[in-house]
Amino acid sequence: MARITLSGLFNPSTALALLAGAVVVQMFTTLPPVAWIFALLGCGVLLACARPPLRWLGIALLGMAWTLWRADAALAQRLPVALEGEEVLVVGALQGLPRIGEEPTRFDLAIESARHHGSAVALEGIVRVAWYTNAPSIQPCERWRLLLRVRRPRGLVDPGAFDFERHALEAGIHALGYVREDARNERLGERALCIDRLRARVSQGIAETLGAGAPADLLRALAFGDQQAMDEREWAVARATGIPHLIAISGLHIALFAGFGVIFVRGLWKLFPRVTLRWPAPQIEALASIAFALSYGCIAGLGLPTRRALVMIGVLLAANLARRAHASVQGLAFAVVVLLAIDPACVLSAGFWLSFVGVAWLIFCLGGRGTVRHGWREMMLAQGVASIGLLPLTVWFFGQSSLVGPLANLVAVPAICFFILPAAVAGALLQLAIPWFGAPLLHLAGVAMSALWWLLERMAEWPAALCYFEEPRAWSLVLAVLGALWLLAPRGVPGRVLGAALLLPLLVPARERLGDGEFEALMLDVGQGLSFVVRTREHVLVYDAGARFPSGFDLGEAAVVPTLHALGVARVDRLVISHGDNDHAGGAAAVLAAFPATPVSSGDPQRLPMAATQCLAGEHWRWDGVDFRVLHPRAPLSARDNDRCCVIEVRSGSNALLLTGDITAAVEGDVAEALQPFAANTVLQVAHHGSRTSSSVAFVAALRPRIALISAGYRNRFHHPHADVVSRYAASGSAILVSAEAGFVRLRFAPDAPPDVVEIGRRDRHPYWRE
């Protein structure tokens, strides 16, 4: 029988088989029983000892078994359901840098112990903590005893939006909590060994030396991983120019400092050449590279991308130390094997795929072809390869791609790698001990960063600098990867240019068009707020845009705009803000920033921070055979607050969607009167998140909606929707969907058929890590 040797781990086929097993697990909607893991393990061992191709199947099964076991263990570590919403007294140490200077103060706490009503409970790992009121000055490395009200990690589910629950699984965040006022809350001292203390001093030193502004913010982020320093405008420029990979501490940074280790040792060889007679130079250089890479990784915060890069480079350097030099493709394969062995959840990360696939493309296209290239031509070719090769993954993970990215990176990569980054790190560290030497060096890095950033800002303003793409399908990703492989194939492969055709389903997906009189409506998952998107064949209406919080978190930016991009929306024809409350109007500015020519109307325009026309009953327009009617408020405007909401009916044939905002029972009679004659099939956005102030018995009885949609936050403090309201709609025969439990809801309306629920986010997009 065949056997797997240590050298076999360098085989790319082994790495690909393990990777395939890990990826298959991520497609599960639920994790199978533990017995399945043992069955896969047994079958995998038997087949792995056979000959190919059964061997690779066996290795894939082993990868599945290992990934399943680790995933099951990770989910088991989440906060127990019984503790959801309970108060728990925890002792833990701060991990990373706290986010101070905003409301609330936020930090990650590595739990050491936890007690509930005096008894120890199973809470471990990381808890992401918010301290809302009377927060003291939280410093890195501190240990605290805190009374927290805790809940399980749970995010919003919207097309194109960030999947927080996946991120929590990958990052080991097992609970969220906020600090309760309690006499037992106490600082318990500091951890003895903690690099974050140095990171905070260095980051603060950069801010004090360079002052406020983009140069200081960017140097703190790209040199030491303090990304909280950057504001949204700076991130927008970075995304538009395709340089976020230079700001996130990743493989490029670690490899650069590993190279500095080699340069340092080679400088010593020139000073003391006799030393090479005693110790072999390659091994000493490998040790120095590991030391430099690990030291920089520590002061950069040892985030997930940093740890992955350290593992990858450490594996390659360890092979060099052991005098087991292998071809680059074998070294890359072994690094993948080691990473999967340490943490198979790494396959959930975009950074994992972009790093390894990027290196693989460069090896495939630039390595071993017998052509020697130098200088800028090599850099331009590498940028072209990376841009084409990584385009499918960029669109898949982020739904966007920078058209100016290759050109911007051609300037930014050498500027940052060969001057700005080393000067910033050296200057920031030296100014702690030798201020007269470190500060000028830091100023030089700041001047260079300022000049580079000025150029990048100009490039970000170029037309179509950043392109957004409709949410892709898995098969289109596979075709696009094959297309990139065909395009970048060696000379002599026939019809290479035809590979571009395989990219089209990913970049220009053929989605089903709406017919005349048809429309689609989405209730977005925006927590304790409201946002709807209504699309006809050629037009788009956005009704409300969620909240924007004092911390800067904006539901318009985090949920509404990504959804519009994922739907392939290029233009919003009208933005209606029902009234001025933050949970409806807060995200409007983000929507307008993404779609600046959009006209705005509202029932309460004077409370909005942007120009808007008054929404008045009697207004009517028709888009693509679909009628839109404003039912409320009536002139003269006497209603106030919630009763000023702009109420809109969207009707096609016998079907209608009624958007009510936050109206109360006081005006529901007027709305019902304006609706007559009632549509045979009404889908109702339940007013005021299902509060008792709305949905009166008379209103529900009059409408008898076919479907009642309630937008409410998970475990919200108002306890919306109220049980009486839910019972009222259920008694009327309505199907009830609440965004807190359903995520987003997509419906399809046609003139001659009842409304159809096409998709429910948490039902139809349910990977195993999502509750």
Side-chain angles (χ1 to χ4, degrees), residues 3-88:
R3 62 189 181 90
I4 298 176
T5 63
L6 180 61
S7 61
L9 292 177
F10 288 85
N11 190 320
S13 299
T14 301
L16 288 174
L18 284 172
L19 187 59
V23 169
V24 167
V25 171
Q26 312 315 318
M27 301 176 185
F28 287 15
T29 57
T30 57
L31 294 181
V34 176
W36 278 56
I37 299 177
F38 289 106
L40 288 171
L41 183 63
C43 292
V45 169
L46 290 174
L47 292 175
C49 296
R51 296 188 179 278
L54 291 179
R55 177 189 299 173
W56 312 131
L57 176 60
I59 294 173
L61 293 178
L62 290 175
M64 286 184 64
W66 173 242
T67 306
L68 283 169
W69 184 77
R70 291 293 300 272
D72 189 69
L75 293 184
Q77 289 178 321
R78 281 185 175 174
L79 179 76
V81 175
L83 291 179
E84 184 105 41
E86 296 294 313
E87 293 183 350
V88 179

Side-chain angles (χ1 to χ4, degrees), residues 154 198 202 212 241 248 327 338 538 551 651 683 741:
R154 191 179 179 92
L198 173 62
V202 169
T241 52
V338 172
E538 301 290 345
S551 64
R651 184 179 292 208
V683 175
E741 304 299 331

Side-chain angles (χ1 to χ4, degrees), residues 564-581:
L564 292 170
H565 289 319
L567 295 174
V569 172
R571 182 189 76 251
V572 174
D573 296 280
R574 188 162 185 174
L575 171 62
V576 176
I577 303 300
S578 61
H579 65 308
D581 284 1

Side-chain angles (χ1 to χ4, degrees), residues 487-517:
L487 275 170
L488 297 175
R491 290 182 180 178
V493 174
R496 288 192 305 166
V497 70
L498 297 177
L502 297 181
L503 296 172
L504 293 179
L506 183 75
L507 304 182
V508 191
R511 58 183 168 85
E512 184 182 357
R513 289 179 61 84
L514 295 168
D516 193 57

Side-chain angles (χ1 to χ4, degrees), residues 101 370 445 600:
V600 184

Side-chain angles (χ1 to χ4, degrees), residues 446-524:
V447 170
M449 188 71 248
S450 182
L452 175 63
W453 194 247
W454 179 88
L455 177 62
L456 294 176
E457 285 182 316
R458 305 289 83 74
M459 296 178 75
E461 294 170 357
W462 291 358
L466 187 63
C467 287
Y468 295 96
F469 299 93
E470 191 172 335
E471 194 172 38
R473 305 290 181 90
W475 62 265
S476 66
L477 173 66
V478 174
L479 284 181
V481 171
L482 293 175
L485 187 64
W486 196 357
L487 275 170
L488 297 175
R491 290 182 180 178
V493 174
R496 288 192 305 166
V497 70
L498 297 177
L502 297 181
L503 296 172
L504 293 179
L506 183 75
L507 304 182
V508 191
R511 58 183 168 85
E512 184 182 357
R513 289 179 61 84
L514 295 168
D516 193 57
E518 295 181 337
F519 69 95
E520 184 180 76
L522 280 86
M523 177 179 70
L524 303 189

Side-chain angles (χ1 to χ4, degrees), residues 684-731:
L684 172 68
Q685 172 255 311
V686 175
H688 205 189
H689 321 290
S691 165
R692 281 190 300 179
T693 62
S694 308
S695 299
S696 63
V697 173
F699 186 69
V700 175
L703 261 67
R704 301 185 67 84
R706 186 181 187 92
I707 302 173
L709 302 175
I710 305 176
S711 182
Y714 177 68
R715 300 185 65 88
N716 65 85
R717 62 192 179 94
F718 305 103
H719 305 293
H720 292 159
H722 195 274
D724 291 347
V725 172
V726 173
S727 298
R728 200 170 296 155
Y729 281 105

Side-chain angles (χ1 to χ4, degrees), residues 66 185 259 332 348 371 390 462 470 529 548 605 674 706 732 755 760:
W66 173 242
N185 293 341
L332 182 67
L348 294 172
T371 303
L390 295 179
W462 291 358
E470 191 172 335
R548 188 181 192 279
R706 186 181 187 92
S732 74
I760 298 175

